């Protein structure tokens, strides 16, 4: 379903400010009339439907739960606005833990609250009729991906504010496919796929591996589309990279994906710096 398909909200041209309150009541202003209609519809829904949660009539407003990274807080707010204006009841994340607050100032309290919020949001998914994923630039993080999978498990329809994107897919005989994504543009996915294919000539891999591109599927696990290019962030990512056993089952590992993403000389230099950072982060103080 295309995002906002049923929405009919007036937009304000660049350079024009929102009408003042004094002008909003003028009967000859079509925008004021439309706003009044929306308010009247919402009031009717609230009085006749929302006060009776057990009502399953076709006139009951659709309940939508928003999912997405709180890094896109303004985009979540925009989606909330548009869905509400379209006559839907919106359940959304209520806390942005990326901003400092006394409630989660202590690391222990922050971790406890995050777990509680994750559980609470799953209840919001259970309570809704459908899920709307806010995914600017095709970005879908691990937490959002898990929520999407949960929505599919419950049979809730899922739609998106933006394109779902593209993926690189490695089919390996006898093993589960490896998927990498999402990529906003197909050409970017093709570039990564081509970079990985070049490495098949010099890197251990499962015989018969085929690398192609396809649609990103939010209900399936994917490796992150982009390998971090900050040495310390890359060093941290090394801890989660599966070690090789000589069979090539771990292809594409972190280094292979970095080489597919960046020019060879830059990737090699960056990897060296990340290895140094890794050694520093895991150094035993007793050895100093």
């Amino acid at each position: 379903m295309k995002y906002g398909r049923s929405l009919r909200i007036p937009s304000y041209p660049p350079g024009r400010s929102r009408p003042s309150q004094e002008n909003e009541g003028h009967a000859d202003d079509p925008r004021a009339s439309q706003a009044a209609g929306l308010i009247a519809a919402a009031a009717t829904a609230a009085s006749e439907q929302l006060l009776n949660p057990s009502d399953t009539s076709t006139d009951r407003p659709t309940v939508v739960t928003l999912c997405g990274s709180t890094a896109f807080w303004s985009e979540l707010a925009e989606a909330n606005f548009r869905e509400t204006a379209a006559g839907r009841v919106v359940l959304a994340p209520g806390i942005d833990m990326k901003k400092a607050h006394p409630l989660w100032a202590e690391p222990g309290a922050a971790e406890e609250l995050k777990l509680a919020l994750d559980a609470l949001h799953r209840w919001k998914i259970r309570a809704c009729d459908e899920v709307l994923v806010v995914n600017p630039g095709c970005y879908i993080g691990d937490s959002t991906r898990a929520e999407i999978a949960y929505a599919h498990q419950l049979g809730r329809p899922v739609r998106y504010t933006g394109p779902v994107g593209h993926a690189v897919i490695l089919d390996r005989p006898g093993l589960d496919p490896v998927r990498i994504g999402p990529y906003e543009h197909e050409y970017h996915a093709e570039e990564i796929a081509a970079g990985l294919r070049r490495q098949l000539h010099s890197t251990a891999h499962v015989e018969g591996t085929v690398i192609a591109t396809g649609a990103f599927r939010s209900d399936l696990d994917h490796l992150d589309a982009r390998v971090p290019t900050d040495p310390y962030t890359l060093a941290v990512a090394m801890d989660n990279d599966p070690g090789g056993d000589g069979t090539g089952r771990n292809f594409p590992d972190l280094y292979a994906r970095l080489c597919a993403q960046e020019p060879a000389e830059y990737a090699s230099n960056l990897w060296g710096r990340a290895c140094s950072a890794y050694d520093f982060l895991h150094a035993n103080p007793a050895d100093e």
Side-chain angles (χ1 to χ4, degrees):
M1 180 184 296
K2 186 177 180 182
Y3 175 57
R5 181 176 64 178
S6 60
L7 192 63
R8 296 293 184 272
I9 302 298
S11 59
Y12 300 104
R16 285 190 66 178
S17 60
R18 187 177 183 276
S20 65
Q21 290 184 346
E22 292 79 10
N23 292 332
E24 284 182 342
H26 291 179
D28 57 351
D29 187 341
R31 292 173 297 190
S33 299
Q34 190 170 26
L38 287 170
I39 293 171
T44 301
S47 61
E48 297 181 1
Q49 304 292 341
L50 299 183
L51 297 181
N52 183 12
S54 63
D55 185 3
T56 57
S57 67
T58 56
D59 292 335
R60 181 180 67 83
T62 298
V63 180
V64 179
T65 293
L66 303 184
C67 294
S69 171
T70 55
F72 304 123
W73 195 255
S74 61
E75 289 84 354
L76 285 164
E78 177 70 12
N80 196 333
F81 162 76
R82 289 179 176 272
E83 292 295 307
T84 301
R88 304 183 184 100
V89 177
V90 180
L91 305 178
I95 292 178
D96 179 8
M97 292 189 65
K98 291 180 173 61
K99 295 183 178 179
H101 192 282
L103 280 177
W104 53 86
E106 296 295 328
E111 183 61 26
E112 184 178 349
L113 179 59
K114 184 182 185 308
L115 293 174
L117 291 176
D118 288 345
L120 179 62
H121 203 74
R122 294 205 169 211
W123 277 105
K124 293 179 181 180
I125 294 172
R126 293 182 64 176
C128 74
D129 298 307
E130 61 185 47
V131 167
L132 175 61
V133 178
V134 178
N135 62 323
C138 297
Y139 179 82
I140 298 177
D142 291 340
S143 295
T144 302
R145 192 176 298 125
E147 291 166 355
I148 293 170
Y150 185 62
H152 284 306
Q153 179 185 338
L154 296 175
R156 303 292 189 269
V158 179
R159 53 194 174 94
Y160 301 81
T161 60
V164 178
H166 306 273
V168 175
I169 306 166
L170 289 84
D171 284 315
R172 307 174 298 166
L175 297 173
D176 292 335
V178 174
R179 303 178 68 95
I180 309 171
Y183 298 95
E184 183 173 3
H185 303 290
E186 185 176 9
Y187 76 83
H188 195 183
E190 291 285 0
E191 288 176 350
I192 299 298
L196 292 174
R197 289 191 201 102
R198 287 192 294 270
Q199 296 180 64
L200 293 178
H201 301 292
S202 58
T203 306
H205 61 277
V206 175
E207 190 67 28
T209 295
V210 176
I211 304 174
T213 60
F216 175 81
R217 288 186 51 184
S218 57
D219 57 322
L220 298 177
D221 289 335
H222 287 67
L223 297 175
D224 287 339
R226 184 166 181 78
V227 176
T229 54
D230 171 74
Y232 279 91
T233 305
L234 185 56
V236 172
M238 289 178 178
D239 278 328
N240 298 319
D241 199 35
D245 57 4
T247 66
R249 294 164 63 96
N250 65 323
F251 179 84
D253 60 11
L254 198 61
Y255 183 62
R257 290 158 51 207
L258 179 65
C259 291
Q261 172 183 299
E262 306 292 342
E265 184 176 351
Y266 177 81
S268 178
N269 179 271
L270 174 61
W271 188 259
R273 288 185 288 147
C275 288
S276 297
Y278 183 90
D279 292 339
F280 174 79
L281 293 172
H282 293 79
N284 186 344
D287 297 334
E288 297 181 356

